[in-house]
Amino acid sequence: MTKATATADRLRQTGWSRLRGRLFHFYFRLKRPMTFGVRGLVYDADQTSVFLIRHTYVPGWQLPGGGVEVGETAIEALQRELFEEGNIEIAGSPLLKSIHFNRQASRRDHVALYLVESYRQTAPKLPDREIAEGGFFPLDRLPDMTTPATRRRIAEVFGGAPASPDW
C-alpha cells in the first residue's frame, strides 16, 4: 500500500464514516442483546495466501465476515458474507477453528472463525458502499494496515500460535 493510499484510508475513516460505524453498532445493540458473528479465513491450497477485505467504514484490512442474522445458521451467514464481500462461493465444508470474545465491539459480541480451503471466486471483488477493496495476499506480505486481530488469527492458524479467547 502506498503512503497516499494509507493517508486516504485514514481520512476516509474520520467524520461520517466513523459516525456511521458507531451508528451500526448502536443499532445492533438495540436489536440484539447478544451478537454473534462469523469470519472466514479463506486461503489457497498451498497455504501461502489469504483473502482480506478493507471496509469503507472501519480502518484496516481484515478477514471477511459479519453478523449472523435471525433465523440464519453460522454456516449460512458465512456463505452469505463471503459472497457479499468477496464473490466467494464455498465449495466444501468450512472448518470451525475457534470462537472468540470480541470486547472491542461490545461486551456481548462473539466471533466464530472458520477455515475455508475449498472455494470458488466468481469474479474479483469490485468496490461498493461496504467494501473498499478485497483480494488475496501472500502470508509473508500482508498489507501494512492489516488489523492486529487478523494477524493473530493468521498466526494461530499458520504459525502454530495458541488460540486466544479474545478476538
Side-chain angles (χ1 to χ4, degrees), residues 7-95:
T7 301
D9 229 20
R10 276 188 239 99
L11 290 175
R12 185 177 14 257
Q13 303 310 322
T14 60
W16 170 243
S17 294
R18 182 172 289 154
L19 176 62
R20 187 171 63 171
R22 288 183 182 189
L23 288 173
F24 280 139
H25 282 289
F26 180 70
Y27 169 76
F28 286 123
R29 286 179 65 184
L30 289 177
K31 296 297 277 182
R32 303 177 191 164
M34 185 184 125
T35 56
F36 185 67
V38 293
R39 295 284 176 136
L41 200 162
V42 180
Y43 59 95
D44 57 3
D46 59 0
Q47 300 182 356
T48 58
S49 64
V50 296
F51 185 78
L52 301 176
I53 53 105
R54 189 171 61 79
H55 284 280
T56 58
Y57 53 90
V58 293
W61 288 87
Q62 53 198 291
L63 299 170
V68 177
E69 300 294 335
V70 174
E72 187 176 54
T73 68
I75 296 294
E76 289 169 341
L78 181 67
Q79 290 170 329
R80 177 180 50 76
E81 290 289 345
L82 290 180
F83 192 77
E84 288 175 2
E85 295 185 353
N87 293 327
I88 293 174
E89 295 176 348
I90 298 174
S93 297
L95 173 67

Side-chain angles (χ1 to χ4, degrees), residues 57-162:
Y57 53 90
V58 293
W61 288 87
Q62 53 198 291
L63 299 170
V68 177
E69 300 294 335
V70 174
E72 187 176 54
T73 68
I75 296 294
E76 289 169 341
L78 181 67
Q79 290 170 329
R80 177 180 50 76
E81 290 289 345
L82 290 180
F83 192 77
E84 288 175 2
E85 295 185 353
N87 293 327
I88 293 174
E89 295 176 348
I90 298 174
S93 297
L95 173 67
L96 176 61
K97 175 65 176 170
S98 51
I99 297 178
H100 305 268
F101 178 41
N102 189 0
R103 297 173 200 277
Q104 292 179 335
S106 81
R107 295 182 322 212
R108 306 181 270 274
D109 191 52
H110 291 78
V111 179
L113 176 67
Y114 285 90
L115 305 183
V116 180
E117 181 181 82
S118 184
Y119 61 89
R120 180 174 80 94
Q121 189 174 34
T122 59
K125 177 60 181 165
L126 298 176
D128 59 30
R129 280 190 265 178
E130 182 186 6
I131 305 300
E133 303 180 73
F136 283 89
F137 294 91
L139 290 172
D140 60 353
R141 289 191 310 277
L142 297 175
D144 290 338
M145 293 183 65
T146 301
T147 65
T150 298
R151 289 184 184 277
R152 284 192 299 274
R153 300 300 79 80
I154 290 170
E156 291 165 5
V157 171
F158 299 113

